[in-house]
Amino acid sequence: MPSFDSEHRPAVKGGLLALSAAMLFGASTPLVQRMGAGLEPFVTAALLYAGAAALGMLTRQPVGREAAVRRSDLPRLLWMALFGAAVGPVALAWGLQHTSGTSASLMLTLEAVFTALFARALYAEVMDRRVWIAVILLAAGGAVLIADRGDAGDAQSWGLLAVIAATVAWGVDNTLSRAVAERDPAQVVVAKSALGMLLTLMLSRFAGEPLPGWQQAISLLLIGATGYGLSLRMYLLAQRAFGAARTGSVFAFAPFIGAAIAVLMGDSSLGWGTLVGGLLMVAGIVVHLGERQHQHLHPALDHEHAHRHDDGHHDHAHDPMPTGSHSHRHTHAATRHTHAHVPNLHHQHGHE
């Protein structure tokens, strides 16, 4: 019987990766507002994803360590670029010009809700009572945070609506990316970011947006490399570990991180709902990180992705046996056993 100790528990590994992604992305929101002040939305998005593409190129793994992106993935990557690297960042950039950094950061909580719902609709990811409670807590936290900004007047309404549109777009993007989580995350980052950069750059030129100064350009490139490129890489690895819905749930911590940084940068627009909303978000994340242990059947499966031979799921033979992570096409025989798990690459079965 394979050992599933704490080092290999999918919720621990996936949770840490998703939290790291959330910290990087959360920090990027107030930074984009500060460094991109006065810039138009298309050119802002183009610079952010140019930085993300550069980061992806620098982090590509050697051949044989990760599964390569395939030509058949291109349609999905195009949709990911449209929603995640064009609609999402453009809507956020526009919204940041019309509302406070704190409000925009907190509004991004809704991304986790849309991700969970889309994952349920498209992939039939298991959402038991615990997961629904987590989603409700997250949505309630977001509602409290939104209500807290209700006394700011109508001037911020359109900015907040634009940020909500960004969360819907990123929810679609997050769910679409689940199907390429087995691929080299650096290649996925490069493909999505480069496509998004080209699209928003063309729209920027068509709209006649002015180009930024070199200091603003470098700042946005660096923010894009970390807050969008490195964050996306960690997000994809988290999805590989424990599914789209749960990754989105942990990623919901990003708005709170962004709001805290916005306050440290001088934003004083917080109200009474910040603490209550933040606590509801944290409660939702903790509930969603729980694992369900029960006996389950792994059907026979043939696929390719990066894996190790000490994780309890990969026991096929090699001669000689490799050490560490490597990638090749392999087959899992049908097996039945009991351990705590989440809907990752090897746990897509249903629950009664």
Side-chain angles (χ1 to χ4, degrees):
M1 177 68 65
S3 173
F4 292 89
D5 57 24
S6 60
E7 181 181 357
H8 301 299
R9 289 172 68 89
V12 173
K13 180 180 179 180
L16 290 174
L17 286 166
L19 184 59
S20 298
M23 293 177 67
L24 290 169
F25 181 72
S28 72
T29 301
L31 291 174
V32 168
Q33 185 185 47
R34 176 69 60 86
M35 302 303 177
L39 290 183
E40 299 297 329
F42 289 124
V43 72
T44 300
L47 286 168
L48 290 172
Y49 276 97
L55 187 282
M57 291 295 295
L58 292 174
T59 56
R60 287 190 61 179
Q61 294 293 312
V63 175
R65 290 285 299 276
E66 286 280 2
V69 170
R70 301 172 183 173
R71 183 174 297 180
S72 59
D73 297 324
L74 182 58
R76 182 175 294 271
L77 290 168
L78 286 170
W79 284 111
M80 288 170 57
L82 175 62
F83 285 101
V87 176
V90 168
L92 178 62
W94 192 90
L96 287 171
Q97 298 293 332
H98 297 82
T99 189
S100 72
T102 303
S103 299
S105 294
L106 297 176
M107 189 69 76
L108 292 174
T109 308
L110 298 178
E111 180 181 341
V113 176
F114 290 122
T115 298
L117 295 177
F118 292 147
R120 170 68 172 175
L122 294 181
Y123 296 119
E125 281 200 5
V126 175
M127 292 181 65
D128 56 20
R129 183 171 58 183
R130 183 192 72 255
V131 179
W132 279 113
I133 290 173
V135 169
I136 291 171
L137 287 170
L138 288 166
V144 171
L145 294 170
I146 293 168
D148 185 47
R149 297 302 304 149
D151 59 356
D154 294 335
Q156 295 194 31
S157 297
W158 285 108
L160 295 177
L161 288 173
V163 177
I164 292 176
T167 66
V168 175
W170 276 321
V172 174
D173 172 36
N174 294 339
T175 309
L176 290 173
S177 66
R178 175 65 186 85
V180 293
E182 297 182 2
R183 311 287 188 248
D184 180 357
Q187 291 187 32
V188 175
V189 170
V190 170
K192 172 188 170 181
S193 301
L195 290 169
M197 177 195 67
L198 291 174
L199 177 58
T200 50
L201 186 60
M202 288 189 296
L203 291 172
S204 173
R205 296 296 85 207
F206 178 78
E209 293 182 348
L211 295 175
W214 67 269
Q215 290 180 318
Q216 271 190 311
I218 292 177
S219 296
L220 289 173
L221 286 170
L222 291 174
I223 294 170
T226 55
Y228 288 73
L230 186 57
S231 176
L232 175 59
R233 175 183 175 85
M234 291 182 174
Y235 194 99
L236 290 169
L237 291 173
Q239 284 192 324
R240 181 186 295 178
F242 75 160
R246 286 160 178 78
T247 299
S249 181
V250 178
F251 196 74
F253 203 62
F256 200 62
I257 296 169
I261 293 175
V263 172
L264 293 175
M265 293 173 63
D267 191 333
S268 58
S269 61
L270 293 178
W272 61 267
T274 303
L275 179 60
V276 175
L279 289 175
L280 286 169
M281 289 169 55
V282 172
I285 292 169
V286 171
V287 170
H288 216 169
L289 278 175
E291 299 178 55
R292 179 178 176 182
Q293 179 165 321
H294 65 100
Q295 187 178 83
H296 53 282
L297 172 67
H298 292 266
L301 178 65
D302 182 82
H303 61 174
E304 179 184 356
H305 65 95
H307 60 277
R308 301 169 60 93
H309 285 268
D310 56 0
D311 62 2
H313 280 292
H314 296 89
D315 55 2
H316 53 271
H318 286 270
D319 188 17
M321 180 65 73
T323 59
S325 180
H326 60 286
S327 178
H328 62 90
R329 194 163 194 86
H330 56 280
T331 299
H332 297 270
T335 185
R336 183 183 295 273
H337 58 186
T338 300
H339 65 89
H341 67 278
V342 288
N344 54 24
L345 298 180
H346 301 99
H347 299 90
Q348 301 296 331
H349 54 271
H351 291 252
E352 296 182 356

